[in-house]
Amino acid sequence: MSAFFFLFPFFATALSVDLQPYSHSAMLDGQGKYMLHWRHHGTSVTFLLQVETLGYVGFGFSPNGDMASSDIVIGGVEGGKPYLQDFYSDSNRILHRDPHQNYLLEYAMENGTYTILKFSRDLHTCDPNDKTITESTIRVIWAFHNEDFGQTGPTYHGLNKGRKSLRLLNPEKTYIKPVDAPSFNFTNRNVPIPYKDTTYWCQMFKMPALNKKHHVVKVWM
Ligand SMILES: *[C@@H]1O[C@H](CO)[C@@H](O)[C@H](O)[C@H]1NC(C)=O
Ligand SMILES: *[C@@H]1O[C@H](CO)[C@@H](O)[C@H](O)[C@H]1NC(C)=O
């Protein structure tokens, strides 16, 4: 009898994910099938992935947006059991299991349509197969598949993959009002435009001095 009363609230809370603790979110695929939520605290970052698949989910950090030479983590739930493994890919995009498993799975669940994975890692792991997470723009790569990982390792993800540039360590307010940001014009003066299809005009401009690191948030043409 008492077991019955314990089970009910457990299932009720397990089905809804608490997004409150995550200061940042991004839709990685443009269709809402792959949502990333994260927060950083001290020297580590916690990620929550919500992906519309019951197969495996892949997430990683790439030097240039391509799958080659990347730091990749793959996880999911198979036969009721959660799994998460740290991989890296070589320059031929072949996946290798990382001998140093630096991603810590905090929980994984499937709710009938979605796979939800929560995991964390250090910003800097000292493992040459892991990418250090810095304040700069980071190229995140993602993939998912409708099958789980199985004994043989992940099968090719097909078309469900992509990349996105993110600043993971951005302050909480990611939207900077352009009006508050410094702006300047690069104006060509008295350039005759010849009457022909296309003219390329190469011109160098000197940037105004900015004494610390800035990021361009908007370009007007
Ligand atoms: C499954 O999880 C997703 C993502 O959190 C959510 O949008 C969806 O409503 C959930 N479905 C059920 C049946 O709880
Ligand atoms: C840039 O050019 C626009 C349009 O001519 C002008 O309104 C604006 O004040 C200029 N901005 C600066 C910083 O010079």
Side-chain angles (χ1 to χ4, degrees):
M1 192 65 181
S2 60
F4 178 81
F5 283 107
F6 273 115
L7 281 174
F8 180 70
F10 172 77
F11 283 121
T13 52
L15 279 175
S16 61
V17 177
D18 182 14
L19 295 177
Q20 203 71 34
Y22 301 92
S23 47
H24 299 72
S25 294
M27 185 196 292
L28 299 195
D29 65 325
Q31 292 180 295
K33 291 186 177 184
Y34 198 124
M35 293 296 299
L36 170 69
H37 308 272
W38 74 97
R39 76 184 137 112
H40 63 98
H41 34 91
T43 57
S44 74
V45 200
T46 301
F47 296 99
L48 180 84
L49 302 179
Q50 291 176 290
V51 186
E52 198 182 316
T53 184
L54 299 180
Y56 74 74
V57 172
F59 176 74
F61 303 102
S62 156
N64 54 16
D66 189 82
M67 194 192 147
S69 309
S70 298
D71 173 13
I72 293 171
V73 63
I74 298 176
V77 180
E78 183 165 29
K81 285 206 183 104
Y83 61 91
L84 186 84
Q85 282 192 35
D86 186 353
F87 289 87
Y88 64 93
S89 58
D90 62 26
S91 56
N92 295 317
R93 304 192 184 91
I94 310 284
L95 272 186
H96 303 275
R97 191 175 182 277
D98 194 335
H100 303 283
Q101 294 286 304
N102 290 310
Y103 288 82
L104 175 74
L105 180 64
E106 297 188 15
Y107 75 70
M109 61 170 263
E110 285 174 348
N111 73 359
T113 44
Y114 277 73
T115 295
I116 293 148
L117 296 173
K118 181 183 175 190
F119 55 88
S120 55
R121 58 159 278 179
D122 284 342
L123 297 176
H124 182 58
T125 64
C126 300
D127 174 357
N129 297 325
D130 290 336
K131 298 275 179 282
T132 295
I133 296 174
T134 65
E135 288 187 4
S136 287
T137 302
I138 294 173
R139 271 137 205 113
V140 162
I141 52 173
W142 58 269
F144 61 90
H145 197 275
N146 58 9
E147 280 171 28
D148 272 300
F149 191 98
Q151 297 299 314
T152 50
T155 39
Y156 184 63
H157 45 60
L159 294 175
N160 296 321
K161 60 166 181 153
R163 61 175 90 169
K164 195 168 178 85
S165 293
L166 293 175
R167 285 187 61 214
L168 294 173
L169 306 187
N170 233 12
E172 288 201 17
K173 293 266 176 286
T174 49
Y175 179 67
I176 303 159
K177 272 195 283 169
V179 70
D180 295 330
S183 70
F184 35 85
N185 293 331
F186 294 130
T187 313
N188 274 312
R189 286 182 206 287
N190 300 326
V191 176
I193 301 171
Y195 183 70
K196 58 173 195 157
D197 280 353
T198 305
T199 298
Y200 294 97
W201 191 270
C202 188
Q203 170 82 53
M204 302 242 279
F205 291 96
K206 193 169 168 55
M207 289 268 295
L210 298 168
N211 54 13
K212 66 183 177 72
K213 189 169 181 172
H214 281 70
H215 290 266
V216 174
V217 292
K218 190 161 183 170
V219 175
W220 285 273
M221 302 282 266

